[in-house]
Amino acid sequence: MHEASIAKNIIEIIETYSDRLQGRVLKSVTIRIGELSGVFPDSLNFYYTEMVKGTLAEGSTLNFEECPFKAQCRICATEFDINNFELNCPNCNNHENDIIGGYEFEIVSMEIE
């Protein structure tokens, strides 16, 4: 249920940039969201849609760029997506890796009409 507070924070950020709207309509907000962020896009979208009513963001939508769970091998530097928690490098089979993606959560852009 933390998606409700995240939706509220997104609306607060939009309101911070309200001077840039200059009377124009906010159409959409694009969010980059990692597979391991713990945020459910459908739930966030639900709360956002309800909470924007009566705000300057009313009628706007959320778009999501989903980021996969990624690692980089410490031996051969291969970057790879991790599926089914298979952590071995597909290039050299090494199991020593650094997590380089999957925890992202950020506003990427706002589309204004």
Side-chain angles (χ1 to χ4, degrees):
M1 175 135 148
H2 66 286
E3 284 85 354
S5 62
I6 293 170
K8 182 179 179 206
N9 289 346
I10 292 169
I11 295 165
E12 289 170 354
I13 291 168
I14 292 166
E15 290 173 346
T16 301
Y17 289 94
S18 64
D19 60 325
R20 295 184 187 181
L21 290 174
Q22 299 175 354
R24 295 176 290 179
V25 176
L26 178 68
K27 291 180 66 175
S28 66
V29 178
T30 300
I31 307 287
R32 184 173 292 135
I33 185 169
E35 185 177 351
L36 300 175
S37 68
V39 177
F40 295 98
D42 289 341
S43 182
L44 179 57
N45 194 49
F46 169 79
Y47 286 110
Y48 180 83
T49 301
E50 291 301 312
M51 295 174 121
V52 295
K53 293 176 181 173
T55 73
L56 62 96
E58 185 170 6
S60 65
T61 59
L62 291 181
N63 299 319
F64 297 99
E65 290 180 6
E66 296 187 19
C67 301
F69 182 13
K70 293 183 73 99
Q72 182 176 34
C73 179
R74 290 183 184 171
I75 303 299
C76 70
T78 298
E79 293 183 11
F80 57 98
D81 291 352
I82 297 175
N83 297 307
N84 298 320
F85 291 95
E86 176 55 53
L87 301 174
N88 287 358
C89 173
N91 186 48
C92 70
N93 204 34
N94 176 50
H95 66 276
E96 296 178 29
N97 305 297
D98 295 312
I99 304 304
I100 61 170
Y103 291 105
E104 300 86 352
F105 188 84
E106 59 189 339
I107 294 176
V108 177
S109 65
M110 291 186 253
E111 182 183 4
I112 301 170
E113 190 172 78

